Amino acid sequence: MDVEASVREVVGRQGRDATRLLQILIALQDRLDWLPPAAITAVAAELGLPRARVEGVAGFYSLLHGTPAGRYRIRFSDNITDRMQGSEALRKRLCHLLWTECGKTSEDGLVSIGTTSCTGMGDQGPALLVNGRAVTRLDAARIERIAELVRGGVPLDDWPAEFFRVEEGIRRRGPLLGTPFEPGSALRAAIARGRTGWGEEMARSGLRGRGGAGFATATKWQACRDAPGADKVVVCNADEGEPGTFKDRVLLAHEAERVFEGMTLAAWATGARTGFVYLRGEYRFVLDALQAVLARRRAVGLLGMGILGEAGFDFDIEIHLGAGAYVCGEETALLESLEGRRGTPRIRPPFPVTHGYLGRPTVVNNVETLALATWIALEGGAAFAATGTPRSTGTKLLSVSGDCARPGVYEFPFGVTVAEVLEECGALDTLAVQVGGASGVTLAGHEFGRRIAFEDVPSAGAFMVFDGRRDPFEIAHAFVEFFAHESCGFCTPCRIGTTLLKNDLDKLARGVGGKVDLANIEWINRLLRNASHCGLGSSAPNPVEDGLAKFRPAWERRLRSLEFEPAFDLDAALGPARRMTGRSDPGAHLDREESSQ
Amino acid sequence: MSTSGSSAGPRKLRVATTSLAGCFGCHMSFLDIDEYLFDLLDRIEFDRSPLTDLKHCGPCDVGLIEGGVCNAENVHVLREFRKNCKTLVAVGACAINGGLPAQRNHLELGACLQEVYAFRDGLSGSGIPNDPELPLLIDQVHPIHEIVRVDYFLPGCPPSGAAFRAFLTDLIAGRTPRLDYPAIRYD
């Protein structure tokens, strides 16, 4: 199809609205397979934006392609748990079968194969995305079949449905996952309490944000309600990018009514009229179902004007897609992305509750936080606070993956010990547990008595289990690669620091490190922690610091020397000049004399 | 009259300096400390350095390295310094980052040599020099910390005389060298 015509149609459908730039680019790529320069130019002209602004956005998101990509765009999820399940060998096999290389587009333009950060299928991996659609439970047979389907040019809609099946994955149900929910019931209860009464009920619950930071939800809602400005906004952060986390996937797929009702409850508390769900691109497989739920809720008066007959209670929800940027899980980066910009975190203060989406007072809450609000509305804040610990009330969804018999989502009251979770998921001979994802904490055996709670081990939900077969160095190495890939590039300490850290770990992985490199790593860690613009950079050293503190021998045994060693082979570096000059005298070599003695 | 002379004062720090793949600009800037050099000579003495013309380095307190590493000889000199100097300092942009000579890193070394010795007017056909006396080029120019452990970095292209002075004053006094913002601001 003609590029300009496609652009005109897509931009028109999105209301010629520059805040929808990311949505426009995603829709264009769906049609064109990639974003050719002519499309960027045309989008800029249609929206009246500088071309550089459009190209800057297109270049920011890893699921958008600025160079020709295949008609089949295959991205293997590259979390450490996928690797442990054999994803690297499967990827190489598929490349071999399709005569291509990882990171390249095949010469006939048929297929491109690459990797992407964790796609949120840790309980049913290894996984991949093909043109944005998730394929789970990869094995040798499935890879052979995919190669045949690609070679045969079979449209994705005609691929076997079981390839795209995402299992429910709920292993343990508590009050949130185990109680049937009637849409509208929580809203009726909250409306009966009045806006103020509902806010007080939330305060009694002690609910703290489930995205990781643990800020008091009632306080956030109150601050937004009190902020000057009429057009308040509620945003559901469904950009669940933390490696090893997939509990929001389960909520969106199976408890969408609770999530949307939680957003509406937040609107009731704050007076917001506009709602957004920022859905990570990797979870596009739930998009149609979510739209259907929204339509149903509008039809029965749970969204729209005068919700449940309450005059002046107007609220509706729109879903925006992300396109593969971990940093957009940070709330201010998310807001930038929602406004159609690069996902660069903002400087806080001002906080989103006063200056959020388009400068309007905005509440940004995690999917799980919003779903929990329905429980509080129905059962009361006191009942909610009776579960969990005094400082971490309620239950927590844990995404359990890795070396265990029963990976999946577990709902536990806060305060559960790591050992209890390990017991229940069937983990044996556990060496380490990564709680909270790449930016979380690595726990060693002597810490398995610690509790999942904001006051002990806080967690956004990831719980990755590693048994005695695993090398703790490789765990940290994988997470450092992740941070170097996901750094948004805005601030120098993070952009450079994460890559320096990766280079040093790569050097250790190649077995050419010296003890001095460990000191260098600790220096970079300090720099990242103290000088980064946002939490991505300042938490990037976490897996390294934990690894060096708790599993140091696994690092030390990779050292070649106790002094310093170059990362490269000096004698080989003289090779080109030796060839050009034809020399072979002793002066034409380095490090030969030592080794020959 | 009190006893005087060098025997009563603190031991002089022994300092070695060299330029690897550099332009000697850092050394020239070092000399810009002017008359402070006389005060300095009460506290330091030079080992191997262009100032002394000593060809090899003995045990030293401080080694100042200008320039990056572009050939085999640079590697030998740098290792000699590292072996002998308790404190090794990367001085200037080239030692710290590779600097101007590292602009050849995005070119293939063979193509570089051919461009000069095969295609340049007046040199064409002379062949690529292969005398064993000549240091052999490394395929890439490296900052010195990629070859040996480095203790301190003194940035600048070149670092100003004032920066040299402040840095050495700190080292002599036993303070961890610290340059104030104006000394590392270049625009």
Side-chain angles (χ1 to χ4, degrees):
Chain A
M1 187 193 273
D2 174 42
V3 168
E4 274 79 17
S6 289
V7 169
R8 272 195 302 278
E9 191 186 330
V10 167
V11 172
R13 256 188 217 185
Q14 301 281 349
R16 311 180 74 82
D17 179 354
T19 66
R20 305 189 60 90
L21 176 55
L22 177 57
Q23 309 309 307
I24 289 167
L25 295 174
I26 292 169
L28 267 178
Q29 178 167 291
D30 286 346
R31 290 176 174 227
L32 306 170
D33 293 329
W34 65 296
L35 296 171
I40 303 283
T41 306
V43 169
E46 288 288 323
L47 293 177
L49 293 173
R51 190 184 186 283
R53 160 92 190 280
V54 178
E55 190 168 358
V57 171
F60 186 84
Y61 297 91
S62 74
L63 294 182
L64 298 179
H65 300 274
T67 52
R71 292 197 294 286
Y72 295 91
R73 300 175 295 282
I74 295 175
R75 309 282 289 260
F76 282 77
S77 176
D78 198 26
N79 191 20
I80 179 86
T81 54
D82 294 288
R83 294 186 195 174
M84 281 154 52
Q85 291 167 314
S87 65
E88 286 163 303
L90 293 171
R91 189 177 78 233
K92 286 196 182 102
R93 178 74 186 144
L94 187 62
C95 287
H96 176 77
L97 289 169
L98 291 172
W99 292 79
T100 183
E101 281 175 64
C102 185
K104 292 199 173 149
T105 302
S106 62
E107 280 178 24
D108 54 4
L110 179 65
V111 61
S112 48
I113 298 174
T115 58
T116 190
S117 298
C118 180
T119 59
M121 299 291 168
D123 57 335
Q124 41 203 300
L128 59 74
L129 297 173
V130 53
N131 296 0
R133 296 173 65 170
V135 179
T136 58
R137 295 210 186 280
L138 297 172
D139 56 19
R142 203 161 266 198
I143 289 292
E144 303 277 336
R145 187 80 187 97
I146 288 173
E148 287 169 20
L149 292 164
V150 169
R151 270 199 305 262
V154 179
L156 287 181
D157 288 337
D158 298 335
W159 286 27
E162 72 261 26
F163 282 23
F164 301 111
R165 192 167 67 226
V166 178
E167 287 160 32
E168 183 189 55
I170 299 174
R171 296 283 188 174
R172 188 183 203 273
R173 293 173 192 274
L176 179 63
L177 296 177
T179 314
F181 176 71
E182 191 205 324
S185 58
L187 266 178
R188 279 188 198 92
I191 290 171
R193 288 187 179 97
R195 289 186 196 261
T196 311
W198 165 230
E200 288 163 1
E201 203 61 44
M202 280 294 291
R204 262 193 293 283
S205 75
L207 175 65
R208 295 172 68 175
R210 296 308 200 243
F215 191 78
T217 307
T219 308
K220 189 185 273 186
W221 289 7
Q222 180 73 38
C224 180
R225 185 187 174 180
D226 293 345
D231 294 329
K232 289 167 185 166
V233 182
V234 171
V235 176
C236 171
N237 182 346
D239 194 47
E240 184 177 47
E242 192 65 56
T245 316
F246 45 84
K247 46 103 187 164
D248 292 344
R249 181 200 84 206
V250 169
L251 286 173
L252 293 163
H254 303 286
E255 298 289 346
E257 291 279 9
R258 277 193 192 265
V259 176
F260 292 140
E261 189 136 334
M263 292 179 70
T264 317
L265 288 167
W268 178 242
T270 57
R273 296 160 54 92
T274 307
F276 290 104
V277 175
Y278 187 88
L279 181 69
R280 71 183 302 218
E282 291 83 347
Y283 287 174
R284 214 171 165 172
F285 71 96
V286 292
L287 181 60
D288 289 345
L290 290 180
Q291 299 286 18
V293 174
L294 286 179
R296 198 158 63 229
R297 289 181 69 86
R298 284 187 198 106
V300 297
L302 293 174
L303 284 175
M305 305 296 276
I307 289 170
L308 287 175
E310 188 71 20
F313 184 12
D314 310 331
F315 182 67
D316 210 331
I317 296 171
E318 188 182 319
I319 302 174
H320 272 230
L321 279 172
Y326 166 70
V327 74
C328 289
E330 195 278 340
E331 61 176 4
T332 62
L334 184 152
L335 292 172
E336 288 286 307
S337 182
L338 210 51
E339 293 178 11
R341 298 170 185 277
R342 291 165 69 89
T344 302
R346 297 174 181 171
I347 288 173
R348 297 177 299 182
F351 290 93
V353 285
T354 57
H355 296 78
Y357 177 72
L358 297 177
R360 291 148 61 177
T362 303
V363 157
V364 184
N365 280 136
N366 179 263
V367 174
E368 185 182 350
T369 313
L370 292 163
L372 286 168
T374 59
W375 169 9
I376 295 161
L378 288 169
E379 305 296 328
F384 183 86
T387 312
T389 76
R391 289 170 63 192
S392 306
T393 54
T395 59
K396 181 78 194 91
L397 300 186
L398 299 179
S399 318
V400 179
S401 63
D403 297 318
C404 64
R406 293 177 293 280
V409 169
Y410 291 71
E411 183 181 359
F412 277 105
F414 261 123
V416 65
T417 66
V418 172
E420 285 165 342
V421 179
L422 288 172
E423 169 85 32
E424 188 141 341
C425 71
L428 300 170
D429 181 31
T430 304
L431 176 76
V433 179
Q434 183 74 19
V435 179
S439 65
V441 56
T442 316
L443 298 177
H446 68 276
E447 299 173 287
F448 292 170
R450 292 181 65 182
R451 297 176 184 281
I452 306 293
F454 292 111
E455 63 271 28
D456 191 352
V457 184
S459 174
F463 192 100
M464 285 179 270
V465 184
F466 303 95
D467 70 19
R469 292 169 296 168
R470 311 300 172 190
D471 181 343
F473 172 83
E474 280 306 329
I475 300 170
H477 190 196
F479 292 143
V480 164
E481 286 177 348
F482 166 78
F483 283 118
H485 179 261
E486 293 294 344
S487 174
C488 83
F490 172 73
C491 80
T492 310
C494 176
R495 184 181 65 247
I496 308 285
T498 51
T499 293
L500 286 178
L501 207 50
K502 176 181 174 296
N503 289 350
D504 268 334
L505 267 70
D506 286 349
K507 185 178 172 188
L508 290 177
R510 286 200 307 276
V512 293
K515 192 120 187 168
V516 174
D517 292 314
L518 298 186
N520 195 39
I521 285 167
E522 284 164 356
W523 178 79
I524 297 168
N525 283 348
R526 276 199 301 281
L527 189 139
L528 271 167
R529 189 172 298 295
N530 296 326
S532 295
H533 174 68
C534 81
L536 191 155
S538 61
S539 57
N542 291 357
V544 176
E545 290 185 348
D546 279 347
L548 277 170
K550 300 171 187 177
F551 298 99
R552 199 173 184 95
W555 295 60
E556 287 171 337
R557 67 172 166 245
R558 289 178 171 271
L559 302 180
R560 176 187 277 179
S561 98
L562 298 178
E563 250 298 317
F564 180 86
E565 289 282 329
F568 59 99
D569 181 341
L570 270 166
D571 191 57
L574 289 173
R578 269 197 302 270
R579 279 193 298 281
M580 294 300 288
T581 57
R583 281 174 55 180
S584 60
D585 57 282
H589 287 280
L590 277 165
D591 301 332
R592 280 292 177 84
E593 57 275 28
E594 293 96 316
S595 56
S596 62
Q597 279 168 2
Chain B
M1 199 175 196
S2 63
T3 54
S4 63
S6 60
S7 59
R11 182 179 70 84
K12 286 187 176 181
L13 292 183
R14 207 162 165 82
V15 177
T17 78
T18 192
S19 175
L20 305 176
C23 68
F24 281 90
C26 292
H27 275 81
M28 297 308 291
S29 187
F30 178 35
L31 295 179
D32 282 344
I33 62 176
D34 299 333
E35 74 279 6
Y36 177 66
L37 192 55
F38 294 108
D39 296 338
L40 202 56
L41 285 172
D42 286 338
R43 308 296 309 274
I44 70 168
E45 58 194 3
F46 284 104
D47 194 287
R48 174 176 178 167
S49 168
L51 303 174
T52 59
D53 216 21
L54 293 176
K55 301 300 183 204
H56 286 283
C57 183
C60 283
D61 296 289
V62 180
L64 304 177
I65 310 283
E66 169 189 343
V69 177
C70 77
N71 62 33
E73 190 209 15
N74 291 160
V75 175
H76 292 301
V77 173
L78 182 57
R79 284 177 170 171
E80 181 181 303
F81 270 69
R82 179 68 274 180
K83 208 169 129 195
N84 284 291
C85 301
K86 291 176 197 163
T87 299
L88 196 69
V89 186
V91 176
C94 301
I96 294 172
N97 288 318
L100 213 54
Q103 292 208 339
R104 77 160 157 94
N105 284 359
H106 67 283
L107 303 170
E108 200 203 334
L109 177 63
C112 262
L113 291 171
Q114 286 221 323
E115 186 66 31
V116 175
Y117 294 106
F119 305 132
R120 184 180 279 185
D121 284 346
L123 280 175
S124 57
S126 64
I128 295 167
N130 61 356
D131 191 318
E133 287 283 302
L134 294 171
L136 204 61
L137 293 172
I138 299 175
D139 59 351
Q140 303 254 294
V141 178
H142 293 269
I144 66 168
H145 69 262
E146 291 184 2
I147 312 293
V148 299
R149 177 171 57 82
V150 173
D151 299 303
Y152 299 102
F153 299 86
L154 176 56
C157 183
S160 66
F164 272 101
R165 178 174 173 163
F167 188 89
L168 289 169
T169 306
D170 279 344
L171 266 190
I172 290 166
R175 293 188 295 262
T176 302
R178 202 185 164 289
L179 292 173
D180 289 334
Y181 182 62
I184 50 171
R185 189 188 149 182
Y186 305 106
D187 56 349

